[in-house]
Amino acid sequence: MEVKKNSLLIVDDENSNLKVLTYILGQDYTIYTSSNGANAIEKAREYVPDLILLDILMPGMDGYQTLSEIKKCNIVKKTPVIFITGLDSDEDEEKGLSLDSADYITKPFNPTIVKLRVRNQIQIVNQLRTIEKLIMIDQLTNIPNRRCFDDRLKMEWKQAIRENTPISLLVMDLDKFKNINDTYGHLQGDIVLQTVAEVFSHSFKRPGDFVARWGGEEFVVLMPNTQMEGAVEVAEKIRSDVESRVMPSLDHSRITITISIGVNSIVPTLDCLVDSFISNADKALYNAKQTGRNKVVCYNKDLIK
């Protein structure tokens, strides 16, 4: 299986410099190029490179201005930038570092130094991504955790407000999960949680839908641009799939489990609270638990207090 290369955006108004750097780095990285600051900002947003090599002296928008604008773009503001420069004064270096540049590559280019400086920054990028993944993934089920869900919800909530589109939430809890742990042990309980997490991946296919482990035996599914009817359809599919799944068993017992699901859907406005959105889905889940379990209940302010 081919390993995906890290990507670089090289920005320089001299075509000869672009060619030289592409020759030096092209074998190890995916290369994008730009010849001016304005176009570099557009390409940074489009390709979201892992590292940007940015010439300081360019006509129009120079490297300092370009870096300042890049830092204003949420999608690339954390992307490290190495300045390409023929300048070597302390004042120039101080100005670049004050703008959060990661390093410098000086002209004329020394291929070995170029490769080492780029490699060092890419190693840092990859290490940070590994750490971020560990922080954001539930280690038992290998799906996103609550912290990751909170970040995703903030992003989708803002977009739903901006675009005036609906957003739906499923809050799900395994029924009588404590009985599994008490009867078969916690290791078997872990296997059940892992298996249920796998079931979710087959219950809905849209790439925008987002499942996470909320904690314990609770899970959530966030569904952007989805009205209540569509959310209920997915919830019923999940409920049915979990109910029909026979869990892998350590002692070859036939173990099954059911799930209760609360659904809430809203077209949020600036006056709406995210906490209320979650709380109301949780109220629907509580109602499902109280009225028999293994069911889907939609939030309705007239029925659920």
Side-chain angles (χ1 to χ4, degrees), residues 196-209:
V196 169
E198 292 175 5
V199 170
F200 295 149
S201 66
H202 301 293
S203 298
F204 50 90
K205 300 296 184 181
R206 297 190 319 170
D209 296 339

Side-chain angles (χ1 to χ4, degrees), residues 11-13 33-42 54 58-59 61 66:
V11 187
D12 198 304
D13 63 306
T33 61
S34 176
S35 59
N36 63 76
N39 179 256
I41 294 168
E42 292 179 6
L54 179 59
M58 296 186 294
M61 184 183 294
T66 303

Side-chain angles (χ1 to χ4, degrees), residues 186-222:
H186 288 277
L187 182 56
Q188 180 63 64
D190 288 348
I191 293 173
V192 169
L193 291 171
Q194 291 168 337
T195 304
V196 169
E198 292 175 5
V199 170
F200 295 149
S201 66
H202 301 293
S203 298
F204 50 90
K205 300 296 184 181
R206 297 190 319 170
D209 296 339
F210 184 83
V211 63
R213 187 180 179 193
W214 185 252
E217 64 269 26
E218 275 196 295
F219 298 86
V220 288
V221 176
L222 184 65

